[in-house]
Amino acid sequence: MLSAKDLGVLDSFSVSGYHVQDWITDLKSKFEIMNRKEEEQKLKTMETKLYKLLSDDKKVELELDEIAELLR
């Protein structure tokens, strides 16, 4: 099976008025965004689980640090 590259039409082929390379770039970007969102959700879930494991004193300390940072 030959690819568009092999046939020499990759540079001239368009879909719905957009160059095929633009479609490829857009799809790769969309895929990266989806992966980042998925990874971000996993990290937020882990952060929530870890926060539940903290002692009350440590939670208060972190909240105070966050407030102090906002006041700077």
Side-chain angles (χ1 to χ4, degrees):
M1 180 187 292
L2 295 174
S3 69
K5 186 176 184 179
D6 294 332
L7 295 172
V9 296
L10 186 62
D11 294 328
S12 62
F13 189 69
S14 65
V15 177
S16 298
Y18 294 96
H19 191 274
V20 72
Q21 196 59 44
D22 293 336
W23 282 98
I24 292 170
T25 301
D26 289 349
L27 290 172
K28 284 180 180 179
S29 295
K30 179 69 174 174
F31 183 70
E32 288 176 15
I33 290 168
M34 289 171 54
N35 282 341
R36 285 185 187 145
K37 286 182 180 180
E38 185 178 316
E39 187 66 25
E40 183 179 342
Q41 185 60 40
K42 287 178 185 178
L43 290 171
K44 285 181 180 180
T45 301
M46 284 190 280
E47 181 181 29
T48 301
K49 288 179 180 181
L50 288 170
Y51 188 77
K52 289 178 184 178
L53 296 174
L54 294 175
S55 68
D56 289 337
D57 289 339
K58 187 63 177 179
K59 288 177 184 177
V60 170
E61 179 186 335
L62 290 173
E63 290 293 328
L64 290 173
D65 289 345
E66 190 175 315
I67 292 169
E69 189 65 33
L70 290 172
L71 293 174
R72 290 183 190 175

